[in-house]
Amino acid sequence: MTHEEHHAAKTLGIGKAIAVLTSGGDAQGMNAAVRAVVRVGIFTGARVFFVHEGYQGLVDGGDHIKEATWESVSMMLQLGGTVIGSARCKDFREREGRLRAAYNLVKRGITNLCVI
């Protein structure tokens, strides 16, 4: 990667915000995937948010959506499961629940959602 390409990559995310959530049962590599999303997002200049407890956290909003930092993912790789949690969500199956989830993203200026 040339210096120019490296600099261009570091500005791709400026003005964007990414939320990452995990869904379904725990599986190997989920924490590594969450860590990768956070680190690449921050590297490219984006703000990155954790959505705790999967789609349920997305619907509930509030304290379930927290900004991530480079340091907040530094010890994730050696942990099992998913450190941000996942939960079944009946509300998300209905339009009203999905609208609440979308509102919680828009309210924080989140432009992208990564579901693992």
Side-chain angles (χ1 to χ4, degrees), residues 55-66:
Y55 286 107
Q56 189 65 56
L58 196 59
V59 171
D60 293 343
D63 288 339
H64 292 284
I65 303 174
K66 296 181 181 171

Side-chain angles (χ1 to χ4, degrees), residues 59 91-103:
V59 171
D91 293 335
F92 197 78
R93 295 175 187 248
E94 303 295 326
R95 186 171 191 275
E96 183 179 320
R98 291 190 299 273
L99 287 173
R100 285 188 7 226
Y103 173 77

Side-chain angles (χ1 to χ4, degrees), residues 35 51 53 64 70 81 103:
R35 180 180 184 262
V51 178
E53 303 310 323
H64 292 284
W70 192 273
Y103 173 77

Side-chain angles (χ1 to χ4, degrees), residues 14 21 26 31-32 34 38 54 57 60 65 69 72 81 83 85-87 89 97:
I14 293 175
L21 69 84
D26 293 354
N31 289 329
V34 169
V38 171
D60 293 343
I65 303 174
T69 64
S72 65
V83 297
S86 62
C89 181

Side-chain angles (χ1 to χ4, degrees), residues 3-116:
H3 177 71
E4 291 79 20
E5 291 171 329
H6 182 77
H7 179 70
K10 290 183 79 169
T11 61
L12 286 173
I14 293 175
K16 299 194 183 312
I18 303 165
V20 58
L21 69 84
T22 53
S23 180
D26 293 354
Q28 292 177 337
M30 290 180 102
N31 289 329
V34 169
R35 180 180 184 262
V37 170
V38 171
R39 294 253 168 121
V40 169
I42 291 170
F43 175 80
T44 61
R47 293 178 65 202
V48 184
F49 293 83
F50 293 129
V51 178
H52 293 271
E53 303 310 323
Y55 286 107
Q56 189 65 56
L58 196 59
V59 171
D60 293 343
D63 288 339
H64 292 284
I65 303 174
K66 296 181 181 171
E67 192 157 1
T69 64
W70 192 273
E71 294 77 23
S72 65
V73 295
S74 63
M75 298 300 284
M76 271 190 180
L77 293 181
Q78 56 269 33
L79 302 174
T82 169
V83 297
I84 59 174
S86 62
R88 296 181 190 269
C89 181
K90 290 179 91 174
D91 293 335
F92 197 78
R93 295 175 187 248
E94 303 295 326
R95 186 171 191 275
E96 183 179 320
R98 291 190 299 273
L99 287 173
R100 285 188 7 226
Y103 173 77
N104 288 326
L105 293 174
V106 170
K107 182 168 65 172
R108 287 175 178 75
I110 296 171
T111 57
N112 301 75
L113 177 64
C114 178
V115 179
I116 299 169

